[in-house]
mmCIF file of all heavy atoms in Angstrom:
data_model
loop_
_atom_site.group_PDB
_atom_site.id
_atom_site.type_symbol
_atom_site.label_atom_id
_atom_site.label_comp_id
_atom_site.label_asym_id
_atom_site.label_seq_id
_atom_site.Cartn_x
_atom_site.Cartn_y
_atom_site.Cartn_z
ATOM 1 N N PHE A 95 2.469 -15.405 -16.917
ATOM 2 C CA PHE A 95 1.129 -15.869 -16.370
ATOM 3 C C PHE A 95 0.055 -15.244 -17.305
ATOM 4 O O PHE A 95 -0.420 -14.248 -17.200
ATOM 5 C CB PHE A 95 0.999 -15.379 -14.872
ATOM 6 C CG PHE A 95 2.036 -15.918 -14.034
ATOM 7 C CD1 PHE A 95 3.000 -15.099 -13.659
ATOM 8 C CD2 PHE A 95 2.051 -17.297 -13.680
ATOM 9 C CE1 PHE A 95 4.058 -15.608 -12.748
ATOM 10 C CE2 PHE A 95 3.038 -17.699 -12.830
ATOM 11 C CZ PHE A 95 4.011 -16.942 -12.373
ATOM 12 N N ASP A 96 -0.238 -15.997 -18.361
ATOM 13 C CA ASP A 96 -1.105 -15.614 -19.442
ATOM 14 C C ASP A 96 -2.536 -15.654 -19.085
ATOM 15 O O ASP A 96 -3.338 -14.806 -19.499
ATOM 16 C CB ASP A 96 -0.852 -16.320 -20.694
ATOM 17 C CG ASP A 96 0.476 -16.073 -21.319
ATOM 18 O OD1 ASP A 96 0.962 -14.915 -21.022
ATOM 19 O OD2 ASP A 96 1.011 -16.943 -21.910
ATOM 20 N N SER A 97 -2.937 -16.709 -18.417
ATOM 21 C CA SER A 97 -4.316 -16.885 -18.256
ATOM 22 C C SER A 97 -4.785 -16.517 -16.774
ATOM 23 O O SER A 97 -5.201 -17.294 -15.969
ATOM 24 C CB SER A 97 -4.645 -18.470 -18.345
ATOM 25 O OG SER A 97 -3.744 -18.966 -19.283
ATOM 26 N N LEU A 98 -4.795 -15.248 -16.547
ATOM 27 C CA LEU A 98 -5.218 -14.775 -15.230
ATOM 28 C C LEU A 98 -6.654 -14.975 -15.077
ATOM 29 O O LEU A 98 -7.211 -14.780 -13.880
ATOM 30 C CB LEU A 98 -4.724 -13.366 -14.974
ATOM 31 C CG LEU A 98 -3.226 -13.226 -15.016
ATOM 32 C CD1 LEU A 98 -2.798 -11.724 -14.600
ATOM 33 C CD2 LEU A 98 -2.538 -14.093 -13.896
ATOM 34 N N GLY A 99 -7.478 -15.051 -16.155
ATOM 35 C CA GLY A 99 -8.903 -15.117 -16.018
ATOM 36 C C GLY A 99 -9.536 -13.892 -15.981
ATOM 37 O O GLY A 99 -8.929 -12.856 -15.475
ATOM 38 N N ALA A 100 -10.827 -13.701 -16.360
ATOM 39 C CA ALA A 100 -11.429 -12.551 -16.413
ATOM 40 C C ALA A 100 -11.416 -11.678 -15.118
ATOM 41 O O ALA A 100 -11.147 -10.481 -15.175
ATOM 42 C CB ALA A 100 -12.918 -12.665 -16.872
ATOM 43 N N GLY A 101 -11.819 -12.357 -13.991
ATOM 44 C CA GLY A 101 -11.789 -11.573 -12.869
ATOM 45 C C GLY A 101 -10.393 -11.157 -12.221
ATOM 46 O O GLY A 101 -10.370 -10.453 -11.371
ATOM 47 N N LYS A 102 -9.385 -11.753 -12.848
ATOM 48 C CA LYS A 102 -8.044 -11.524 -12.303
ATOM 49 C C LYS A 102 -7.165 -10.621 -13.030
ATOM 50 O O LYS A 102 -5.927 -10.509 -12.726
ATOM 51 C CB LYS A 102 -7.366 -12.900 -12.079
ATOM 52 C CG LYS A 102 -7.974 -13.772 -10.887
ATOM 53 C CD LYS A 102 -6.953 -14.211 -9.960
ATOM 54 C CE LYS A 102 -7.504 -14.600 -8.713
ATOM 55 N NZ LYS A 102 -6.441 -15.236 -7.826
ATOM 56 N N SER A 103 -7.641 -10.037 -13.997
ATOM 57 C CA SER A 103 -6.786 -9.070 -14.808
ATOM 58 C C SER A 103 -6.533 -7.829 -13.928
ATOM 59 O O SER A 103 -7.031 -7.840 -12.801
ATOM 60 C CB SER A 103 -7.410 -8.680 -16.137
ATOM 61 O OG SER A 103 -8.630 -8.138 -15.843
ATOM 62 N N GLY A 104 -5.652 -6.961 -14.379
ATOM 63 C CA GLY A 104 -5.335 -5.871 -13.489
ATOM 64 C C GLY A 104 -5.498 -4.530 -14.263
ATOM 65 O O GLY A 104 -5.779 -4.415 -15.448
ATOM 66 N N TYR A 105 -5.665 -3.482 -13.392
ATOM 67 C CA TYR A 105 -5.784 -2.111 -13.968
ATOM 68 C C TYR A 105 -4.517 -1.327 -13.502
ATOM 69 O O TYR A 105 -3.982 -1.535 -12.403
ATOM 70 C CB TYR A 105 -6.924 -1.431 -13.373
ATOM 71 C CG TYR A 105 -8.193 -2.061 -13.869
ATOM 72 C CD1 TYR A 105 -9.203 -2.346 -12.892
ATOM 73 C CD2 TYR A 105 -8.508 -2.210 -15.187
ATOM 74 C CE1 TYR A 105 -10.418 -2.921 -13.333
ATOM 75 C CE2 TYR A 105 -9.708 -2.738 -15.584
ATOM 76 C CZ TYR A 105 -10.749 -3.076 -14.698
ATOM 77 O OH TYR A 105 -11.913 -3.581 -15.104
ATOM 78 N N VAL A 106 -4.002 -0.393 -14.507
ATOM 79 C CA VAL A 106 -3.229 0.716 -14.067
ATOM 80 C C VAL A 106 -4.175 1.920 -13.926
ATOM 81 O O VAL A 106 -4.970 2.185 -14.760
ATOM 82 C CB VAL A 106 -2.174 0.929 -15.068
ATOM 83 C CG1 VAL A 106 -1.219 2.099 -14.551
ATOM 84 C CG2 VAL A 106 -1.351 -0.262 -15.334
ATOM 85 N N VAL A 107 -4.150 2.411 -12.683
ATOM 86 C CA VAL A 107 -5.042 3.458 -12.384
ATOM 87 C C VAL A 107 -4.424 4.778 -12.444
ATOM 88 O O VAL A 107 -3.161 4.868 -12.439
ATOM 89 C CB VAL A 107 -5.716 3.396 -10.996
ATOM 90 C CG1 VAL A 107 -6.531 2.105 -10.935
ATOM 91 C CG2 VAL A 107 -4.709 3.370 -9.831
ATOM 92 N N GLU A 108 -5.122 5.884 -12.538
ATOM 93 C CA GLU A 108 -4.474 7.232 -12.341
ATOM 94 C C GLU A 108 -4.723 7.470 -10.812
ATOM 95 O O GLU A 108 -5.800 7.660 -10.374
ATOM 96 C CB GLU A 108 -5.213 8.305 -13.109
ATOM 97 C CG GLU A 108 -5.212 8.111 -14.647
ATOM 98 C CD GLU A 108 -3.807 8.456 -15.165
ATOM 99 O OE1 GLU A 108 -2.868 8.667 -14.442
ATOM 100 O OE2 GLU A 108 -3.678 8.295 -16.456
ATOM 101 N N ARG A 109 -3.697 7.256 -10.140
ATOM 102 C CA ARG A 109 -3.756 7.228 -8.686
ATOM 103 C C ARG A 109 -4.334 8.445 -8.008
ATOM 104 O O ARG A 109 -5.111 8.340 -7.014
ATOM 105 C CB ARG A 109 -2.387 6.852 -8.039
ATOM 106 C CG ARG A 109 -2.265 6.681 -6.635
ATOM 107 C CD ARG A 109 -3.153 5.555 -6.013
ATOM 108 N NE ARG A 109 -3.300 5.897 -4.539
ATOM 109 C CZ ARG A 109 -2.489 5.436 -3.647
ATOM 110 N NH1 ARG A 109 -1.460 4.698 -3.863
ATOM 111 N NH2 ARG A 109 -2.667 5.781 -2.393
ATOM 112 N N ASP A 110 -3.937 9.604 -8.616
ATOM 113 C CA ASP A 110 -4.575 10.837 -7.987
ATOM 114 C C ASP A 110 -6.051 10.830 -8.160
ATOM 115 O O ASP A 110 -6.789 11.193 -7.274
ATOM 116 C CB ASP A 110 -3.945 12.065 -8.670
ATOM 117 C CG ASP A 110 -3.814 12.053 -10.133
ATOM 118 O OD1 ASP A 110 -4.046 11.026 -10.715
ATOM 119 O OD2 ASP A 110 -3.610 13.052 -10.710
ATOM 120 N N LEU A 111 -6.500 10.423 -9.369
ATOM 121 C CA LEU A 111 -7.937 10.385 -9.612
ATOM 122 C C LEU A 111 -8.668 9.320 -8.746
ATOM 123 O O LEU A 111 -9.812 9.496 -8.295
ATOM 124 C CB LEU A 111 -8.282 10.124 -11.107
ATOM 125 C CG LEU A 111 -7.649 11.239 -12.050
ATOM 126 C CD1 LEU A 111 -8.067 10.878 -13.419
ATOM 127 C CD2 LEU A 111 -8.046 12.512 -11.653
ATOM 128 N N PHE A 112 -7.926 8.223 -8.501
ATOM 129 C CA PHE A 112 -8.520 7.177 -7.682
ATOM 130 C C PHE A 112 -8.655 7.542 -6.237
ATOM 131 O O PHE A 112 -9.822 7.440 -5.698
ATOM 132 C CB PHE A 112 -7.474 5.938 -7.725
ATOM 133 C CG PHE A 112 -7.912 4.724 -6.961
ATOM 134 C CD1 PHE A 112 -8.937 4.010 -7.296
ATOM 135 C CD2 PHE A 112 -7.165 4.226 -5.840
ATOM 136 C CE1 PHE A 112 -9.407 2.811 -6.657
ATOM 137 C CE2 PHE A 112 -7.487 3.058 -5.173
ATOM 138 C CZ PHE A 112 -8.682 2.386 -5.587
ATOM 139 N N ASP A 113 -7.709 8.269 -5.757
ATOM 140 C CA ASP A 113 -7.839 8.701 -4.375
ATOM 141 C C ASP A 113 -8.924 9.770 -4.282
ATOM 142 O O ASP A 113 -9.734 9.765 -3.311
ATOM 143 C CB ASP A 113 -6.518 9.329 -3.930
ATOM 144 C CG ASP A 113 -5.517 8.258 -3.580
ATOM 145 O OD1 ASP A 113 -5.579 7.214 -3.952
ATOM 146 O OD2 ASP A 113 -4.527 8.632 -2.850
ATOM 147 N N ARG A 114 -9.120 10.565 -5.285
ATOM 148 C CA ARG A 114 -10.082 11.639 -5.220
ATOM 149 C C ARG A 114 -11.552 11.075 -5.378
ATOM 150 O O ARG A 114 -12.485 11.319 -4.807
ATOM 151 C CB ARG A 114 -9.911 12.646 -6.257
ATOM 152 C CG ARG A 114 -9.310 13.915 -5.636
ATOM 153 C CD ARG A 114 -8.853 14.944 -6.651
ATOM 154 N NE ARG A 114 -7.481 14.833 -7.016
ATOM 155 C CZ ARG A 114 -6.867 15.311 -8.049
ATOM 156 N NH1 ARG A 114 -7.465 15.846 -8.924
ATOM 157 N NH2 ARG A 114 -5.621 15.119 -8.213
ATOM 158 N N PHE A 115 -11.611 9.908 -6.209
ATOM 159 C CA PHE A 115 -12.907 9.185 -6.353
ATOM 160 C C PHE A 115 -13.352 8.677 -5.089
ATOM 161 O O PHE A 115 -14.461 8.822 -4.686
ATOM 162 C CB PHE A 115 -12.541 8.103 -7.413
ATOM 163 C CG PHE A 115 -13.760 7.188 -7.741
ATOM 164 C CD1 PHE A 115 -14.671 7.459 -8.755
ATOM 165 C CD2 PHE A 115 -14.005 6.061 -6.882
ATOM 166 C CE1 PHE A 115 -15.706 6.656 -9.027
ATOM 167 C CE2 PHE A 115 -15.170 5.261 -7.167
ATOM 168 C CZ PHE A 115 -15.995 5.514 -8.296
ATOM 169 N N LEU A 116 -12.349 8.132 -4.368
ATOM 170 C CA LEU A 116 -12.757 7.427 -2.985
ATOM 171 C C LEU A 116 -13.102 8.569 -2.079
ATOM 172 O O LEU A 116 -14.109 8.394 -1.205
ATOM 173 C CB LEU A 116 -11.579 6.722 -2.516
ATOM 174 C CG LEU A 116 -11.222 5.318 -3.277
ATOM 175 C CD1 LEU A 116 -9.970 4.752 -2.722
ATOM 176 C CD2 LEU A 116 -12.322 4.389 -3.394
ATOM 177 N N ALA A 117 -12.436 9.745 -2.119
ATOM 178 C CA ALA A 117 -12.669 10.825 -1.111
ATOM 179 C C ALA A 117 -14.062 11.370 -1.408
ATOM 180 O O ALA A 117 -14.860 11.763 -0.559
ATOM 181 C CB ALA A 117 -11.579 11.881 -1.224
ATOM 182 N N LYS A 118 -14.411 11.562 -2.654
ATOM 183 C CA LYS A 118 -15.748 11.989 -3.100
ATOM 184 C C LYS A 118 -16.799 11.124 -2.553
ATOM 185 O O LYS A 118 -17.871 11.508 -2.106
ATOM 186 C CB LYS A 118 -15.914 12.209 -4.585
ATOM 187 C CG LYS A 118 -15.182 13.242 -5.181
ATOM 188 C CD LYS A 118 -15.415 13.357 -6.661
ATOM 189 C CE LYS A 118 -14.245 13.853 -7.482
ATOM 190 N NZ LYS A 118 -14.212 13.608 -8.899
ATOM 191 N N ASP A 119 -16.491 9.792 -2.671
ATOM 192 C CA ASP A 119 -17.438 8.728 -2.196
ATOM 193 C C ASP A 119 -17.734 8.964 -0.637
ATOM 194 O O ASP A 119 -18.823 8.808 -0.176
ATOM 195 C CB ASP A 119 -16.904 7.427 -2.500
ATOM 196 C CG ASP A 119 -17.825 6.470 -2.981
ATOM 197 O OD1 ASP A 119 -18.861 6.920 -3.640
ATOM 198 O OD2 ASP A 119 -17.591 5.180 -2.953
ATOM 199 N N ALA A 120 -16.670 9.282 -0.010
ATOM 200 C CA ALA A 120 -16.661 9.408 1.533
ATOM 201 C C ALA A 120 -17.518 10.649 1.760
ATOM 202 O O ALA A 120 -18.362 10.693 2.725
ATOM 203 C CB ALA A 120 -15.303 9.550 2.146
ATOM 204 N N ALA A 121 -17.257 11.692 1.041
ATOM 205 C CA ALA A 121 -18.102 12.971 1.200
ATOM 206 C C ALA A 121 -19.596 12.731 1.001
ATOM 207 O O ALA A 121 -20.359 13.115 1.695
ATOM 208 C CB ALA A 121 -17.585 14.098 0.329
ATOM 209 N N ARG A 122 -19.904 11.961 -0.126
ATOM 210 C CA ARG A 122 -21.267 11.669 -0.414
ATOM 211 C C ARG A 122 -21.930 10.879 0.608
ATOM 212 O O ARG A 122 -23.175 10.960 0.934
ATOM 213 C CB ARG A 122 -21.364 10.942 -1.722
ATOM 214 C CG ARG A 122 -21.011 11.848 -2.944
ATOM 215 C CD ARG A 122 -21.265 11.193 -4.274
ATOM 216 N NE ARG A 122 -20.655 12.060 -5.334
ATOM 217 C CZ ARG A 122 -19.555 11.769 -5.977
ATOM 218 N NH1 ARG A 122 -19.114 10.489 -5.901
ATOM 219 N NH2 ARG A 122 -19.115 12.535 -6.804
ATOM 220 N N ALA A 123 -21.083 9.998 1.355
ATOM 221 C CA ALA A 123 -21.655 9.185 2.375
ATOM 222 C C ALA A 123 -21.900 10.079 3.723
ATOM 223 O O ALA A 123 -22.485 9.598 4.695
ATOM 224 C CB ALA A 123 -20.732 7.972 2.724
ATOM 225 N N GLY A 124 -21.384 11.375 3.662
ATOM 226 C CA GLY A 124 -21.734 12.125 4.821
ATOM 227 C C GLY A 124 -20.389 12.624 5.647
ATOM 228 O O GLY A 124 -20.566 13.353 6.572
ATOM 229 N N ALA A 125 -19.306 12.144 5.231
ATOM 230 C CA ALA A 125 -18.028 12.527 5.933
ATOM 231 C C ALA A 125 -17.613 13.972 5.604
ATOM 232 O O ALA A 125 -17.770 14.352 4.391
ATOM 233 C CB ALA A 125 -16.884 11.543 5.660
ATOM 234 N N GLU A 126 -17.173 14.636 6.623
ATOM 235 C CA GLU A 126 -16.620 16.000 6.320
ATOM 236 C C GLU A 126 -15.150 15.838 6.054
ATOM 237 O O GLU A 126 -14.493 15.011 6.734
ATOM 238 C CB GLU A 126 -16.917 16.934 7.540
ATOM 239 C CG GLU A 126 -16.230 18.334 7.234
ATOM 240 C CD GLU A 126 -16.621 19.279 8.401
ATOM 241 O OE1 GLU A 126 -17.633 19.119 9.048
ATOM 242 O OE2 GLU A 126 -15.886 20.322 8.466
ATOM 243 N N ILE A 127 -14.635 16.651 5.139
ATOM 244 C CA ILE A 127 -13.212 16.506 4.753
ATOM 245 C C ILE A 127 -12.524 17.963 4.924
ATOM 246 O O ILE A 127 -13.124 18.869 4.507
ATOM 247 C CB ILE A 127 -13.046 16.066 3.303
ATOM 248 C CG1 ILE A 127 -13.805 14.695 3.142
ATOM 249 C CG2 ILE A 127 -11.595 16.019 2.929
ATOM 250 C CD1 ILE A 127 -13.802 14.194 1.701
ATOM 251 N N ARG A 128 -11.350 17.960 5.531
ATOM 252 C CA ARG A 128 -10.556 19.138 5.625
ATOM 253 C C ARG A 128 -9.197 18.946 5.138
ATOM 254 O O ARG A 128 -8.432 18.018 5.683
ATOM 255 C CB ARG A 128 -10.503 19.654 6.974
ATOM 256 C CG ARG A 128 -11.950 20.013 7.448
ATOM 257 C CD ARG A 128 -11.779 20.959 8.655
ATOM 258 N NE ARG A 128 -13.223 21.346 8.942
ATOM 259 C CZ ARG A 128 -13.410 22.240 9.795
ATOM 260 N NH1 ARG A 128 -12.414 22.899 10.439
ATOM 261 N NH2 ARG A 128 -14.714 22.484 10.072
#
Side-chain angles (χ1 to χ4, degrees):
F95 300 103
D96 290 333
S97 325
L98 294 182
K102 286 230 163 175
S103 56
Y105 292 128
V106 180
V107 298
E108 298 291 358
R109 180 61 200 271
D110 50 347
L111 301 181
F112 181 64
D113 284 19
R114 262 174 261 160
F115 179 91
L116 296 172
K118 284 184 215 163
D119 226 20
R122 288 186 194 112
E126 179 170 339
I127 300 173
R128 295 200 177 189

